[in-house]
Amino acid sequence: RRVHGGRDCGLRSSMQVNILPHQNFVHKTRSGAGVHYVTPGEFITTEEGFVRGHGTRNEEGKLIATISGVVEKVNKHISVRPLRSRYNPETGDVVVGRVTELGSKRWKVDIAAREDAVLALSAVNLPGGAQRRRTLEDALQMRRYFQEDDLITAEVQSIFSDGSIALHTRTLKSGKLGVGQLVRVPATLVKRCKQHFHLLPCGVHVIFGVNGFIWISPPHEQQEQTNVPESDEPTEPQYQPVPVNLRSPMARVHNSIIALASHFMAIHSESVMAVFDQSVAMNLDPKHMLSPENMYRITTPLAT
């Protein structure tokens, strides 16, 4: 019995715990292979000779899960991949990030990883494509390249032993982003592909950042970004109004990505266009796509 302010409140704290019988949840994919989902404390296997990986612990010869996720097995190595986690970068990943800070000859960029990535001044293309050493004058003009809150697309150059991440924007498609819309989804939903810059059949340009940042823009922006400036001065993207005929397709692509993310489905160009076409076939306006019922209807064909 609890006493509050000298008075007996007559309250008793009681809790009844119902322990459900052990179940193994296995989801069948289209190829017929089973995807084994586990929760913390769930038994995985008693196979002898296994190598304990991330997200597991060994308890009296039994392999037990310590996190929620999907069991992955490579030969004798067994680990659990979490369903939701911070972005874990790999060299060569295409990412979309936001500049958070300017420092001494480098920018800090938020890419939804465990720490901000570093974009060095030496890893940025100079105006006109000049190939030379960066000077003090270049360091003093860093804000003419990127400022705080600018959105950029870059590639992961290297990952150091202390976990720090280095980026570069030396490719022609990398650099500052102009007019468009940013969508954030869990990084685990974006597939690593050979191509992350897509001009969809609906006329919308999309950058699928492996870090879960997806950039939607008109197609003309891609042409502006791929043109190398001939002058020696840093150029700004041309911020022009989005054409009226592209606003509805851009909104529909955005809502297609949100619908896929809400149902925790893989996000890539094919899945986005499948949901896009399904919403068009159902005569749904973009503003009606995000109702729970409609999101279920337009994503169900992908799950079958």
Side-chain angles (χ1 to χ4, degrees):
R1 303 175 73 85
R2 297 182 180 178
V3 178
H4 177 71
R7 296 175 297 174
D8 188 350
C9 298
L11 298 178
R12 295 184 179 180
S13 60
S14 61
M15 180 176 62
Q16 182 179 359
V17 180
N18 295 325
I19 302 178
L20 298 177
H22 173 76
Q23 295 180 353
N24 286 329
F25 295 93
V26 178
H27 171 68
K28 293 292 184 179
T29 61
R30 293 181 181 179
S31 61
V35 179
H36 186 191
Y37 297 98
V38 292
T39 55
E42 188 171 347
F43 161 76
I44 298 178
T45 184
T46 56
E47 180 182 352
E48 296 182 357
F50 61 79
V51 179
R52 184 175 66 87
H54 174 73
T56 63
R57 74 172 188 270
N58 191 354
E59 186 175 304
E60 298 179 355
K62 298 179 180 179
L63 195 63
I64 306 298
T66 59
I67 59 175
S68 298
V70 178
V71 176
E72 291 186 341
K73 183 177 179 181
V74 180
N75 295 329
K76 292 291 186 177
H77 184 270
I78 300 177
S79 61
V80 178
R81 176 172 55 86
L83 295 177
R84 292 182 180 271
S85 63
R86 280 279 185 174
Y87 165 60
N88 187 22
E90 294 183 6
T91 302
D93 282 352
V94 175
V95 297
V96 176
R98 186 181 296 275
V99 177
T100 59
E101 180 184 337
L102 273 72
S104 175
K105 295 185 178 181
R106 88 304 182 253
W107 295 267
K108 282 192 174 182
V109 185
D110 175 22
I111 59 172
R114 291 177 176 85
E115 59 179 88
D116 287 350
V118 175
L119 175 62
L121 179 61
S122 59
V124 176
N125 275 337
L126 293 175
Q131 300 293 329
R132 58 175 174 80
R133 293 177 64 89
R134 275 54 172 176
T135 62
L136 178 61
E137 183 179 357
D138 294 325
L140 295 176
Q141 296 181 355
M142 286 178 58
R143 289 186 183 274
R144 302 181 64 179
Y145 296 94
F146 305 122
Q147 301 181 13
E148 293 89 343
D149 292 331
D150 280 348
L151 285 169
I152 66 171
T153 176
E155 286 189 10
V156 177
Q157 181 178 15
S158 57
I159 304 169
F160 300 98
S161 57
D162 60 352
S164 57
I165 309 161
L167 305 177
H168 76 88
T169 59
R170 294 193 186 96
T171 60
L172 297 180
K173 294 183 179 180
S174 302
K176 184 186 295 188
L177 298 172
V179 176
Q181 188 174 15
L182 178 67
V183 188
R184 297 189 60 172
V185 300
T188 53
L189 300 183
V190 183
K191 293 177 57 178
R192 284 185 170 89
C193 307
K194 293 182 179 180
Q195 180 63 255
H196 287 269
F197 298 82
H198 291 274
L199 183 59
L200 301 180
C202 58
V204 177
H205 181 237
V206 182
I207 303 175
F208 293 92
V210 184
N211 58 332
F213 288 26
I214 301 176
W215 181 252
I216 306 171
S217 63
H220 62 80
E221 182 183 346
Q222 182 184 17
Q223 300 174 2
E224 294 172 358
Q225 289 291 336
T226 54
N227 291 332
V228 179
E230 298 179 355
S231 65
D232 292 334
E233 297 294 328
T235 57
E236 290 285 335
Q238 299 297 322
Y239 296 103
Q240 299 178 355
V242 178
V244 177
N245 61 331
L246 279 178
R247 295 178 186 176
S248 179
M250 288 179 62
R252 193 177 294 275
V253 169
H254 170 273
N255 292 347
S256 299
I257 295 173
I258 295 298
L260 288 169
S262 65
H263 287 78
F264 213 78
M265 304 178 74
I267 298 175
H268 46 88
S269 59
E270 291 81 4
S271 63
V272 171
M273 283 308 303
V275 176
F276 184 99
D277 294 337
Q278 183 68 15
S279 66
V280 172
M282 295 173 58
N283 294 323
L284 288 177
D285 290 334
K287 62 182 178 181
H288 296 146
M289 291 174 59
L290 295 184
S291 67
E293 180 182 356
N294 288 335
M295 283 195 297
Y296 176 79
R297 293 169 61 193
I298 60 181
T299 56
T300 297
L302 274 72
T304 57

